[in-house]
Every structure is written in C-alpha cells, then in structure tokens.
Amino acid sequence: MGIAILGAGWVLPDEGAPLRRDRWAGKGVALFRIDRLCALSLCAVDEAFVDAGVVPAPGAMPAGWDAERVAVYLGTAYGCHATDEEFYRGVQAQAQAGGTPLLGASPRLFAHTLPSSPVGMVSIHYGLLGPGLAMVSGAASGLLAVAAALRALRRGRVAQAVVLTAEVGTPFLRQMQGDDDTRDGAAALLLGGSAQGPRGRVLAVASGYQASNPAGAMAEVLRRLPGDAERAAYCDENTAALLHGTPLPCRVMGGTPGAAPSATGAVGALLLLGRLGETGEKQALVLSCDRHGQAAAALWKV
C-alpha cells in the first residue's frame, strides 16, 4: 500500500525562497537566535505542515493528533559542520588574542554543535514526543531517513513522521568536499497512513554502499526495489553527474525555483519526492548517491 505523503515543504534561499521570518512572529521563535541549520529545518517543516493543511500552535499539535506518536527523522550529508566551524572560530579568535580560549565559545551556538539539534528544535517547537533520529551519512541520508520513517510507521510505533533534511555550506566545507557550489537548503515531508496522500505515496526505499563506486552501488540498490526497472527515475544534478555514462535510468528535474539544484547534499532527494506529483508520472523512482559510494533510491507512486 505504501505510506502517504501528507505534505511537503522546502526552503532554498539561493533560489529565491526566503525564510519567511514574518510567519514566526509571536510563535516563540527568533530565527536569528538559533543556528542556520535549525532555522532552515524549522521553516521547511512549517511549509510541510501548511501544505498538509495542518497548522499546529507552538508546543501543541491540533486536535486529533497524538504528539507522542509523531516522530522526527533527520537525514543530512554535512550535519552541523557550518555551526561547528562558527563555534570554533570564536574559540580560536579568543586564543589568538591572548585570552582564555573558552571565553570565546558562544553559548548560543554550543547547543547546536550536534547534528541532531534540528530534531530537538522541531520536536520542542511543535511539542512532539515521539521517537527522534538523526543520520549523517552522505547525500543518501535524506532517503535513509525516509526508510527509517517507513519502518516505524509500518510497525505501528508512530502514527505520523516528520522527515527532514537540511544543509548549510561554507567555503571550508566546499574545499573539503571538492565542489564549488554547496548550497544552503532544507526540505521536509510529513508521512502517515496507508491511503493515498495528496502528494502520492512512498512504497519502498533501498540503500547500499560500494566504496568510491556510486554507479555500482546504485545498480545494486535498483535491483532490490520491486517493480518494473524501466519506470521513470528522477534525481538532482549531482547524482546525474555521478551516473553519467551508465545505463542507469535518470532524469534531472530542474529549471525552476524549488526544483532540485546541484550540490544540495541530501536535500535534493526529499525535495523531488515532494514534487513528483507535479510531473504527471503515476510511478517513479528518486535516486540519490555521492562520490563516496553511498546510494539510495525510493519508489514513489500516485
């Protein structure tokens, strides 16, 4: 039957989508006081709730929703790397000035120097008391988070799941990763129930790893998914580049804001899952992999 996608949201500041700070007025959140990873995450989740027609008040879900049975799963390629950089720059600057290094440590940033901080921020803001999990495992992390949500939903551990991904790029991270345009962005899906959702259903997710062989890993992943191997497959530009020259099926969804630009880490795959209903397809795959050999694919259906 699959799991319904009840709502989808995304924020890509470089593509002209602002953080909509006005929406947070009076909701107990000052975006400038938290790190950018958490701010992007909150905004994307907020968009997903609005898309689903659910507008929870801060700290309380609407009537009919059991906060103890709503989970939050995060998948991110780079996690809190940008926040860690900013935190340690303060420590380093204090040391270079001849002072005590720890006096340069920012208490505002310290709470966010864990990759799981967006899970906590989203859970606290919406009063969610269900399971929470953060995965930092390359570009496929977004789909790995979807897989974790599917398992929990099918086993009846939770009634709904917020699945989110967020990335924040820095010059050092771009240099370390060997790409020039790692972009900030976040995407979120609200999953729940087995009936058809307004944005379709996720039927299955498979993942795999072959060191430095993304094409080989993806081929193995696709063999493990049920159904017709000839169905349409979508991915972002980074995955398309890694699979170029192979017989693996792949279409790039791009050209408009919110499409899935290159170098979005784990964001592109979740964004595509949320937008597949706009393509006119009845069934499709979403592919995601990175140059290290981590790969995942999700089977989607109307």
Side-chain angles (χ1 to χ4, degrees):
M1 290 293 293
I3 299 297
I5 303 177
L6 305 176
W10 52 86
V11 180
L12 298 171
D14 290 344
E15 295 293 304
L19 296 189
R20 299 289 302 277
R21 296 176 189 273
D22 57 310
R23 183 180 288 175
W24 298 92
K27 291 188 177 182
V29 176
L31 293 184
F32 66 87
R33 291 181 181 171
I34 60 180
D35 76 325
R36 187 163 177 79
L37 189 72
C38 285
L40 288 167
S41 298
L42 276 175
C43 290
V45 171
D46 188 59
E47 297 287 349
F49 274 124
V50 171
D51 186 55
V54 179
V55 187
M61 295 300 294
W65 287 62
D66 183 355
E68 294 189 359
R69 302 197 68 222
V70 182
V72 181
Y73 296 99
L74 167 72
T76 172
Y78 309 124
C80 58
H81 191 286
T83 303
D84 291 349
E85 278 190 49
E86 187 177 352
F87 177 81
Y88 283 109
R89 273 198 299 270
V91 173
Q92 184 181 39
Q94 184 73 12
Q96 290 175 340
T100 303
L102 287 181
L103 291 179
S106 166
R108 177 184 70 84
L109 291 173
F110 179 73
H112 302 299
T113 55
L114 288 172
S116 59
S117 57
V119 175
M121 183 64 65
V122 169
S123 298
I124 291 169
H125 180 71
Y126 293 110
L128 306 180
L129 303 174
L133 178 66
M135 286 171 278
V136 185
S137 186
S141 297
L143 293 184
L144 295 179
V146 172
L150 294 188
R151 286 193 296 270
L153 288 162
R154 285 173 173 155
R155 294 171 182 174
R157 290 194 64 204
V158 299
Q160 292 90 20
V162 176
V163 182
L164 70 108
T165 179
E167 309 290 0
V168 177
T170 70
F172 177 73
L173 181 60
R174 293 173 189 129
Q175 179 183 6
M176 185 175 68
Q177 293 297 320
D179 83 56
D180 297 327
D181 61 348
T182 302
R183 306 187 189 188
D184 294 5
L189 301 176
L190 181 60
L191 304 179
S194 57
Q196 181 174 333
R199 289 186 176 268
R201 292 169 290 158
V202 184
L203 303 185
V205 177
S207 62
Y209 173 76
Q210 292 186 20
S212 302
N213 184 11
M218 185 62 74
E220 179 61 33
V221 165
L222 294 178
R223 282 193 287 269
R224 294 207 301 270
L225 283 174
D228 180 6
E230 297 302 318
R231 66 208 147 200
Y234 288 86
C235 63
D236 62 19
E237 294 173 11
N238 272 11
T239 293
L242 290 169
L243 300 181
H244 180 70
T246 75
L248 298 170
C250 146
R251 301 180 187 178
V252 179
M253 184 189 290
T256 60
S262 64
T264 55
V267 173
L270 253 65
L271 195 156
L272 286 169
L273 271 178
R275 295 194 66 225
L276 271 174
E278 302 170 20
T279 65
E281 302 283 1
K282 299 300 182 183
Q283 181 171 295
L285 293 165
V286 170
L287 315 180
S288 182
C289 63
D290 59 37
R291 61 188 176 88
H292 303 292
Q294 181 72 265
L299 177 58
W300 170 93
K301 190 173 183 179
V302 169

